[in-house]
Amino acid sequence: MPRFDAEVVVMPKPEVADPQGQAIEGALARLGLTGEVQARHIHVGKVFRLDLEASDRAAAEQALHTLADRVLANPNIETFQLKVSSH
Amino acid sequence: MNLAAAITPDLVAGHGLRPAEFDSIVQALGRDPTLVELGIYSVMWSEHCAYKHSRPLLRTLPTRGERVVVGPGENAGVIDIGGGLCVAFKMESHNHPSAVEPYQGAATGVGGILRDIFTMGARPIALLDNLRFGEPDAPHMRHLIEGVVEGIAGYGNCVGVPTVGGDIMFDPGHAGNILVNVMCVGLVRTEHIRRGQAHGPGNAVLYFGSPTGRDGIHGATFASGELSEEALERRSAVQVGDPFMGKRILECTLELIERGLVVGIQDMGAAGLTCSTCEMAGRAGTGIEIDLDRVPQRAPAMSAYEILLSESQERMLAVCEQTRLAEVLEVCERWECGGVVIGQVTGSGRVEVHHRGEVVASIPANHLTHGAPVYHPPEAAPAAPEEFDLPPVLPGEDFKTALLALLASPTIASKRWAYRRYDHMVQIATVLRPGDADAAVLRLPGPGEPRFLAVTSGGNHRLVARDPRAGAALAVLEAARNLVCTGAQPLAITNCLNFGSPERPEVFGQLRRAIEGIAGACRALDIPVTGGNVSLYNESGGVAIPPTPIIGMVGLIEREEHITRPGWREPGDVIYVLGDPAAGLGGSELAKYLVGGDLPGVTPRGPLPPIAIDREVALLDAVRSAILAGLIRSAHDVSDGGLAVTLAECCLLSRGGHGAWIHETPDGDLALTLFGELPPRVVVSVRPADARAFEALISARGVACAEIGLVGLPGLRCADQAAISHSEMQQAHETPPWESLR
């Protein structure tokens, strides 16, 4: 079966509070790193990389979507994006 | 969303408002409400905020007492425990959010009840959680259980408040609608008690804490016909808790109060900014004017509707005099809580909201807080439970099998799998920890001889389902018994009433009877109800949950030597059962276990045995008197699983590993005696030298007292039944629920 490189990027939904991102914004200000360049709206997510074996790309994408929706992301508070490329 | 949308009957209905309610709004305003106003009314007149169906019933609860400092209607009840110290405590539900997103739902439930307590000026010292799940064998239920327990731990542990008690029960009736009730207890010096009132026109209205985002915006919004994809996506935006911000606003609030810098203060919980402004103005008989453009916002381009109805967590509203403003802002700055003045108190009696240069809402505060209609829905008497025949006397091997099965059943088994994840020692005041005793005991601060606070919360819905009035009274009595068994004097209760839709006659019938039961038990015990929460509409698939009133109770232990534990102390001590003999198996864990098919003809239903409240009060009085007289070595209340489970727990909780030899059971039917749960009883052990004095003291109070055995070698031997070893009991009791079901 063909192999695929897969990547799932999970991010908090834009409308949901992101205490981690807010903490980093606070840290930037405390460390004096907000002088010349303003870094704002920081959001913290996570990236998963995995190998997939599937009959074709569509099947790989389908399987990856299920995986992301059911396990890797919490659809209540997170969104995800999928990338599938040939190995 | 189109803010200038025409107010159609559909839109009104979509906001959960009835035509008559809408007419009342039009009359109060002298015009049609704007969409923003409709949203405000929708929230403020919801059952959650206005108690439309339950208010007349709640008024029948006894709320007065010489210790009561603040009764129902404020953020939390407060009682005086002497020495200039008061206890603030309250219970709340977070059922629906936890069913959708268990971790954040439970975490924000903890955050919310903490705010209710420190808003009163009290420092939170303990949390308790009462959880109701479906049977834990379904994978989805396991996910909910794990998430809720982690969420409680995640918030409580980070914020530094110990989780010391509560209960967990599993019942198919809660599978579609789990319950997450959280109680918080705090301490406050009498002079620091603050109320959520916006006094003094001209005073500044200050916002501090997290910025406002589009979290948990009232579901009714989206019932209107103009749903975009984007809006649908937003609806699922659940509230995410930030315990570190929670800790900062806790410290900031307490400093503001202790330094006398604020006139009134209120947290933003359900319905956020709307609820807090309206309630503060309503309670003080003043008005409030706020400008939404000054409200810190997390998301760009939020509408007035969204800002007002957002349920973002960790936000506070304070009222302070203009002359103290600089000091207040300095405190907020130091705690990194970002204080902003968003408006002022007015004498207009109205809540007036400005946004982008326009007045988007102007409502009489009093109409919002006190104008909600009260409903007296039709009610029906709950169906009488079926009778069933008592099972025959259990032969030897069956006793052992039944006891081990009950010890391993999810509701009775040790909850170590849950509370081991909770920090129950932070603040280092916890004397009796979760699993140690019938209630948690905490050391109180202060000079002189140490005093202690005992806290407990629980309620057996299986009893309430059979007889709402008696079952709810029994929940109060059990809470009192739990406290008394640790040596405490019960002082006051809070409650959380979890029921189905009050618009169902049988549910309203349950609610009325349950409240009558609570009121009756409180009057008999002479303790007040200082507040609570009502959670209605707990249903799934058109079926209501079993009626589940949860009772939280606090009590006082004046002397260290009165603290009593359930475990056996010394071999040779005499074991007594106090209270009237068991009179039935209706609603018992044994009956539930037997439905598994072991004994034909037994159904889980069956009426409760009759309960005489005055006899229960006498029992409590007798146990407490004997503890104060120094005659009791150990005490444990007989509850789920009956006498057999209680005896097993006394063995398991014995620090020396002692067991019990039960040579006599007080009456004939062994199954009834060993596994019957009602009427309530208490197991105590007494030094042989004190036995005479003890018996005399108990008998003088007209309480039945039966000597049933002796503390002895490890294990449990019951008359001629097969002996059960310590390790067999321990293994059964310590097995997590999902493993016992494999």
Side-chain angles (χ1 to χ4, degrees), chain B residues 374-407:
Chain B
V374 168
Y375 296 112
H376 303 272
E379 67 167 89
E386 301 158 31
E387 297 276 349
F388 65 79
D389 292 332
L390 292 179
V393 172
L394 296 168
E397 204 44 45
D398 274 4
F399 162 68
K400 183 170 174 176
T401 314
L403 175 55
L404 291 178
L406 288 188
L407 282 175

Side-chain angles (χ1 to χ4, degrees), chain B residues 279-301:
Chain B
E279 285 188 355
M280 286 186 84
R283 287 195 195 111
T286 55
I288 280 189
E289 188 182 34
I290 57 170
D291 183 355
L292 298 183
D293 296 317
R294 299 197 210 162
V295 171
Q297 291 160 44
R298 198 175 66 230

Side-chain angles (χ1 to χ4, degrees), chain B residues 149-195:
Chain B
V149 169
E150 275 176 40
I152 290 167
Y155 205 103
N157 295 1
C158 289
V159 86
V161 179
T163 300
V164 300
D167 70 348
I168 307 177
M169 288 181 77
F170 302 88
D171 192 300
H174 291 109
N177 192 121
I178 63 169
L179 302 182
V180 176
N181 291 183
V182 197
M183 172 173 167
C184 183
V185 182
L187 291 178
V188 55
R189 299 208 63 81
T190 314
E191 67 271 22
H192 290 150
I193 297 170
R194 278 297 172 279
R195 293 162 198 257

Side-chain angles (χ1 to χ4, degrees), chain B residues 399-400 403-404 407 568 571 575 644-654 656-663 709-719 721-731:
Chain B
F399 162 68
K400 183 170 174 176
L403 175 55
L404 291 178
L407 282 175
W568 311 128
I575 302 172
V645 166
T646 304
L647 291 169
E649 287 172 348
C650 293
C651 296
L652 292 172
L653 290 167
S654 169
H658 307 304
W661 177 49
I662 305 304
H663 51 71
L710 295 172
V711 175
L713 294 172
L716 178 62
R717 276 162 297 275
C718 248
Q721 306 289 316
I724 306 173
S725 73
H726 187 92
S727 60
E728 285 172 315
M729 292 189 286
Q730 193 167 37
Q731 195 186 354

Side-chain angles (χ1 to χ4, degrees), chain A residues 13-20 22-23 26-27 30 41 43 70 74-79, chain B residues 100-102 104 210-211 213-215 230 233-234 236-242 298-299 336:
Chain A
K13 281 184 186 171
E15 311 298 348
V16 163
D18 181 4
Q20 269 194 91
Q22 284 165 19
R30 275 195 302 279
H41 303 303
H43 289 281
R70 298 281 299 277
N74 176 352
N76 284 320
I77 52 177
E78 293 169 330
T79 57
Chain B
V100 175
E101 165 50 44
Q104 295 296 348
S210 291
R214 291 190 176 99
D215 319 53
E230 185 197 8
E233 185 66 17
R234 275 184 210 158
S236 65
V238 297
Q239 309 147 42
V240 170
D242 179 355
R298 198 175 66 230
E336 297 179 18

Side-chain angles (χ1 to χ4, degrees), chain B residues 7-315:
Chain B
I7 305 298
T8 63
D10 277 355
L11 197 59
V12 173
H15 278 76
L17 291 166
R18 301 181 186 192
E21 293 172 348
F22 183 72
D23 292 344
S24 161
I25 295 169
V26 173
Q27 202 175 8
L29 297 178
R31 57 177 164 80
D32 270 9
T34 63
L35 183 59
V36 171
E37 288 168 337
L38 196 64
I40 293 174
Y41 269 104
S42 159
V43 175
M44 291 300 293
W45 284 13
S46 67
E47 186 66 35
H48 186 88
C49 292
Y51 301 102
K52 286 187 285 195
H53 290 90
S54 51
R55 215 181 329 156
L57 300 179
L58 296 172
R59 284 216 185 96
T60 65
L61 292 169
T63 58
R64 286 164 203 272
E66 56 188 30
R67 288 182 183 272
V68 177
V69 181
V70 178
E74 277 284 345
N75 290 300
V78 181
I79 56 165
D80 192 329
I81 55 168
L85 211 53
C86 293
V87 175
F89 65 109
K90 170 98 178 282
M91 188 180 276
E92 281 251 331
S93 64
H94 230 215
N95 303 338
H96 293 141
S98 303
V100 175
E101 165 50 44
Y103 183 99
Q104 295 296 348
T108 53
V110 173
I113 194 68
L114 284 167
R115 286 196 300 280
D116 279 339
I117 297 303
F118 67 69
T119 294
M120 300 298 296
R123 178 169 288 279
I125 59 161
L127 289 163
L128 299 93
D129 307 281
N130 298 88
L131 313 178
R132 297 291 178 274
F133 298 110
E135 296 289 355
D137 44 355
H140 177 62
M141 194 51 63
R142 177 84 189 276
H143 164 74
L144 291 176
I145 294 168
E146 293 272 343
V148 166
V149 169
E150 275 176 40
I152 290 167
Y155 205 103
N157 295 1
C158 289
V159 86
V161 179
T163 300
V164 300
D167 70 348
I168 307 177
M169 288 181 77
F170 302 88
D171 192 300
H174 291 109
N177 192 121
I178 63 169
L179 302 182
V180 176
N181 291 183
V182 197
M183 172 173 167
C184 183
V185 182
L187 291 178
V188 55
R189 299 208 63 81
T190 314
E191 67 271 22
H192 290 150
I193 297 170
R194 278 297 172 279
R195 293 162 198 257
Q197 300 184 348
H199 284 293
N203 284 342
V205 174
L206 185 91
Y207 172 117
F208 66 92
S210 291
T212 297
R214 291 190 176 99
D215 319 53
I217 289 169
H218 199 255
T221 326
F222 301 94
S224 68
E226 307 169 53
L227 268 186
S228 61
E229 275 296 304
E230 185 197 8
L232 272 173
E233 185 66 17
R234 275 184 210 158
R235 177 164 63 166
S236 65
V238 297
Q239 309 147 42
V240 170
D242 179 355
F244 300 104
M245 179 54 101
K247 173 69 172 167
R248 296 210 297 271
I249 60 170
L250 184 163
E251 297 298 343
C252 182
T253 301
L254 293 181
E255 181 174 343
L256 289 174
I257 290 173
E258 279 162 23
R259 288 175 56 186
L261 296 176
V262 289
V263 174
I265 192 158
Q266 166 106 16
D267 73 305
M268 295 186 220
L273 200 48
T274 299
C275 203
S276 50
T277 46
C278 302
E279 285 188 355
M280 286 186 84
R283 287 195 195 111
T286 55
I288 280 189
E289 188 182 34
I290 57 170
D291 183 355
L292 298 183
D293 296 317
R294 299 197 210 162
V295 171
Q297 291 160 44
R298 198 175 66 230
M302 287 182 69
S303 69
Y305 190 103
E306 290 172 322
I307 297 169
L308 278 169
L309 298 187
S310 161
E311 294 190 352
S312 289
Q313 296 290 300
E314 287 95 23
R315 299 179 302 158

